[in-house]
Amino acid sequence: MNAQTSSSARSERTFGQVVIGPPGSGKSTYCKAMRELCTAIGRSVAVVNLDPANDVLPYEADVDIKGLVELSDAMDVYALGPNGALVYCMEYLEKNFDWLCQQLEKVRGCYLFIDCPGQVELYTHHASVRNVVSRLQKLGYRLSATHLVDSHYCSDPGKFISVLLTSLATMMHMELPHINVLSKVDLAEQYGKLHFGLDYYTDVMDLSFLADVLSEDPILKKYKKMNEALAGIIEDYSLVSFLPLNVQEKESMWSVLKACDKCNGYIFSQSEEQHMMNLAMGSDTQSQDAIARLRERLETSGTTCIVEDEEAMDDID
């Protein structure tokens, strides 16, 4: 595709990422860091805040749902708790879809980072966010989902299996091109040592090993068959994997951005390619080196592998 054709394609469509994930997974920080990275390579970017519960934004929102509805108002008027009020706000946004379209027209042509609420049910069960995104796609928006999960869940096998199930349910419910990201990977062992190397968690390898770890707990031992069945569901679909992310490392951010661009079909302009060459010469090698350094740091900080026989070790490697 030549430069003129790709430029024409971009003018007809707006590309972007729908940034989703549990509370505290770093969605707003991700949007801020990605905005800075994209601006550095000359890409026009707009950040859309769709989280009415986010009172302190680390970035200046180009579109803010608080111009339409406030979480506190929903709680006061309808006597709702924070979760119920958040669901109401998303339903209200769906009913007032025209307002969102008018706001997005102001940033038409910019690459969008849509910062979504942290209530998991909105992406696994409830339909409003999915419906809003689906209607945007019908208007020509080329969107992908970037699902952030805090990497500290890797230190707890039970929580990690829950994260995998949530990620799988989200992928199937949202019906978008999808990238799963382990955020804050530099802090992965803040809440405990990892039982396996980082590759095991990013590539989602043989989950029977996690079921075995859970079985070592006297309380959880009786749930071994259930844990094995849950692990089997994840492996049968074979859809979930993760990219590691440390927002403080440019190479890590660059790796995730390229994956997301490939996911939603964004094509670099000539000016972006030039900025990219100037800013990140050899970024592929640097990205791999950064991830390798991170893995080495995790593995040398006391991480142990509970698998003892050489054949099982080969499977993990």
Side-chain angles (χ1 to χ4, degrees):
M1 180 179 292
N2 58 39
Q4 183 176 0
T5 303
S6 63
S7 176
S8 175
R10 281 194 303 274
S11 65
E12 296 173 358
R13 293 187 176 93
T14 296
F15 295 81
Q17 301 177 31
V18 181
V19 184
I20 58 179
S25 58
K27 297 182 294 297
S28 296
T29 301
Y30 172 85
C31 291
K32 176 180 181 292
M34 277 297 182
R35 179 183 217 168
E36 294 172 352
L37 177 61
C38 290
T39 300
I41 63 173
R43 183 182 303 185
S44 297
V45 173
V47 181
V48 179
N49 176 43
L50 293 187
D51 185 2
N54 197 343
D55 295 325
V56 182
L57 295 173
Y59 53 79
E60 182 178 350
D62 298 282
V63 177
D64 196 337
I65 192 176
K66 293 179 182 178
L68 174 68
V69 61
E70 292 269 4
L71 183 73
S72 57
D73 292 341
M75 293 175 65
D76 294 339
V77 173
Y78 298 103
L80 297 171
N83 290 340
L86 197 53
V87 170
Y88 171 84
C89 289
M90 293 301 101
E91 292 175 346
Y92 191 78
L93 175 65
E94 182 183 3
K95 291 181 179 179
N96 292 271
F97 181 74
D98 290 342
W99 174 87
L100 180 61
C101 291
Q102 292 172 2
Q103 298 299 311
L104 291 179
E105 278 299 321
K106 300 176 183 178
V107 293
R108 188 79 178 187
C110 292
Y111 191 98
L112 302 179
F113 290 96
I114 303 177
D115 190 3
C116 295
Q119 189 169 343
V120 174
E121 294 85 347
L122 294 173
Y123 318 115
T124 59
H125 299 85
H126 199 263
S128 288
V129 174
R130 182 187 63 188
N131 292 343
V132 168
V133 171
S134 178
R135 293 175 70 178
L136 287 175
Q137 287 181 301
K138 292 178 180 178
L139 294 177
Y141 289 82
R142 295 289 299 272
L143 303 173
S144 61
T146 305
H147 182 227
L148 271 63
V149 176
D150 197 319
S151 60
H152 85 262
Y153 290 120
C154 296
S155 62
D156 186 317
K159 291 181 180 178
F160 186 67
I161 289 179
S162 298
V163 162
L164 293 175
L165 288 170
T166 301
S167 300
L168 178 60
T170 300
M171 294 175 74
M172 299 182 68
H173 183 73
M174 290 297 292
E175 300 177 345
L176 281 173
H178 196 101
I179 296 290
N180 291 304
V181 176
L182 280 179
S183 63
K184 310 177 189 178
V185 75
D186 52 315
L187 304 175
E189 293 191 317
Q190 187 176 18
Y191 296 93
K193 301 297 182 181
L194 303 184
H195 291 86
F196 305 98
L198 184 62
D199 284 344
Y200 178 85
Y201 299 95
T202 56
D203 296 340
V204 188
M205 298 182 181
D206 190 346
L207 296 180
S208 63
F209 295 127
L210 286 183
D212 291 339
V213 174
L214 290 171
S215 299
E216 294 179 354
D217 188 313
I219 298 177
L220 299 178
K221 186 176 182 179
K222 61 182 178 180
Y223 300 114
K224 181 177 181 179
K225 290 185 178 180
M226 183 188 74
N227 291 328
E228 289 176 344
L230 293 175
I233 292 174
I234 298 166
E235 291 181 332
D236 287 344
Y237 278 95
S238 190
L239 291 175
V240 183
S241 62
F242 296 92
L243 290 176
L245 175 66
N246 176 7
V247 295
Q248 297 179 349
E249 288 192 353
K250 180 185 66 178
E251 296 84 1
S252 177
M253 293 287 292
W254 188 252
S255 178
V256 172
L257 178 61
K258 288 193 297 182
C260 293
D261 285 348
K262 184 177 180 179
C263 201
N264 60 35
Y266 183 85
I267 301 173
F268 288 108
S269 66
Q270 285 185 334
S271 60
E272 285 183 18
E273 289 179 354
Q274 185 61 47
H275 282 293
M276 178 180 66
M277 293 295 292
N278 295 336
L279 181 69
M281 183 69 71
S283 62
D284 285 334
T285 301
Q286 294 175 4
S287 178
Q288 293 299 322
D289 290 345
I291 294 173
R293 291 196 302 271
L294 177 61
R295 287 171 176 153
E296 182 179 359
R297 186 164 70 246
L298 289 175
E299 291 171 359
T300 58
S301 63
T303 302
T304 59
C305 180
I306 66 167
V307 183
E308 297 179 353
D309 59 275
E310 293 182 357
E311 182 179 353
M313 285 293 290
D314 289 339
D315 289 338
I316 295 177
D317 293 336

